[in-house]
Amino acid sequence: MVPNALIAAVVLVFFWIVAGVVKTQSLRLLNRFGRSPEVNWLASIVLYVLVLLGGFVVALGAVGLDKTVTSLLAGAGIVGLALALAFQDIGQNVLAGVYLALRRTIKAGDLVTTNDHFGVIRGINLRATHIDTPDGQLVIIPNREVFQNPVVKFSTGMRRIDLRVGVSYGDDLDKVREVALSAVRAVDGRDPSREPELFFEEFGSSSIDFVVRFWIPFERQSQFLRARSDAIVRIKKAFDAAGITIPFPIRTLDFGIVGGERLASVIEQTGLARLEGRADEPRGDGQR
């Protein structure tokens, strides 16, 4: 058995060297053409382990332990199943991370909303997705949650701004449309290839409400906030110059028990009742 053992040792050393070369060269090749460093690293590790396992099987065959190889493979299958059940969550996150990295539906730098969190993706590794929120916080979301739940991606190159406004019932709606659209056309950074739109939506409690929509080239959230702020300022100034009123919220308070009574009449009736009550009170001499 000594010659066979020596051959098995040489085989193991040879496959160990080959596995190292395969790992290094595969990682270099994957980094050149691959998209995700984490996935490239994982693929090179898998190749490294497979080459080592192949060398181990060949070495056992060289010393005549073929049945041992079969038993080891069966045992490895059972151990692998147990580990898969024990680390099910980690495995799901890794597989989801590989899928996200290969598909690149979302990537670092994209502005997204997912799992009730809004922000810019800092990076996607094999376990979690890191998102920087606008207020400077870092949110770490497991890849499984990102994969299984809807993701709203804002980084598409263009974004529409919907601005809701209300005008007085006494204003001319045709004039309102003309003035509002003219104000929005002058917004800095607006996409000139798409005309702004205005739609009246409903009769509100104290105003007629409408929405004005326009598009902007979009890369960062600051562009959206700046364009929306500019539109608000321009519409307000244009309405003031044209004599169009943006009414304050109006509330009607009814003080009558049945309803429909004016406040003055209620105060008058209450005052008379109090005066009559005082007149009926006995004075110090016993008179009323």
Side-chain angles (χ1 to χ4, degrees):
M1 294 294 294
V2 173
N4 292 338
L6 292 176
I7 294 174
V10 172
V11 168
L12 285 177
V13 173
F14 173 78
F15 272 89
W16 176 69
I17 296 174
V18 172
V21 174
V22 169
K23 175 185 175 182
T24 302
Q25 296 300 323
S26 63
L27 183 59
R28 182 180 303 173
L29 183 64
L30 290 172
N31 285 334
R32 180 181 301 178
F33 299 102
R35 298 177 176 178
S36 173
E38 291 83 5
V39 175
N40 298 340
W41 175 83
L42 179 63
S44 65
I45 292 297
V46 170
L47 292 175
Y48 177 78
V49 172
L50 289 177
V51 174
L52 284 182
L53 288 177
F56 185 69
V57 171
V58 173
L60 289 178
V63 295
L65 298 177
D66 298 335
K67 294 183 179 180
T68 304
V69 174
T70 304
S71 301
L72 289 175
L73 291 177
I78 296 175
V79 173
L81 179 61
L83 291 177
L85 293 176
F87 299 97
Q88 181 179 2
D89 293 340
I90 296 178
Q92 289 179 353
N93 288 327
V94 171
L95 292 177
V98 171
Y99 177 84
L100 293 174
L102 294 178
R103 292 286 297 176
R104 290 181 66 84
T105 306
I106 56 175
K107 60 185 183 299
D110 286 344
L111 181 66
V112 300
T113 295
T114 179
N115 294 274
D116 297 329
H117 295 288
F118 173 78
V120 178
I121 296 178
R122 175 186 294 185
I124 302 175
N125 56 33
L126 293 178
R127 192 190 70 84
T129 298
H130 295 199
I131 296 180
D132 290 323
T133 62
D135 53 355
Q137 297 178 337
L138 174 63
V139 181
I140 301 176
I141 306 175
N143 288 331
R144 180 185 62 176
E145 301 296 331
V146 178
F147 178 75
Q148 294 178 347
N149 291 287
V151 177
V152 180
K153 180 178 178 180
F154 297 95
S155 300
T156 58
M158 299 294 295
R159 188 170 178 182
R160 193 184 74 190
I161 297 178
D162 292 4
L163 191 60
R164 286 173 169 77
V165 191
V167 294
S168 172
Y169 275 88
D171 290 321
D172 184 357
L173 298 186
D174 292 332
K175 182 180 179 181
V176 169
R177 178 190 297 274
E178 179 182 353
V179 173
L181 291 177
S182 178
V184 170
R185 290 190 184 98
V187 171
D188 294 333
R190 185 185 67 84
D191 181 14
S193 64
R194 300 191 181 188
E195 276 294 311
E197 299 175 312
L198 188 148
F199 300 98
F200 292 99
E201 292 186 318
E202 62 179 352
F203 294 95
S205 58
S206 57
S207 63
I208 296 180
D209 301 328
F210 66 90
V211 58
V212 57
R213 309 190 308 188
F214 61 97
W215 292 81
I216 60 170
F218 180 79
E219 294 180 359
R220 299 179 303 275
Q221 179 67 2
S222 58
Q223 294 173 305
F224 172 83
L225 298 176
R226 192 177 298 112
R228 185 178 63 180
S229 176
D230 188 23
I232 292 174
V233 172
R234 291 182 181 276
I235 290 177
K236 177 63 169 59
K237 289 182 177 179
F239 279 8
D240 290 343
I244 298 174
T245 303
I246 302 177
F248 293 101
I250 299 174
R251 298 291 182 268
T252 301
L253 303 179
D254 197 335
F255 293 89
I257 298 177
V258 179
E261 298 186 31
R262 294 179 177 272
L263 177 60
S265 62
V266 174
I267 294 176
E268 183 180 356
Q269 294 175 5
T270 306
L272 291 176
R274 289 180 178 178
L275 290 176
E276 292 176 356
R278 291 179 180 179
D280 292 338
E281 292 179 357
R283 297 186 301 180
D285 54 0
Q287 300 179 357
R288 292 183 178 273

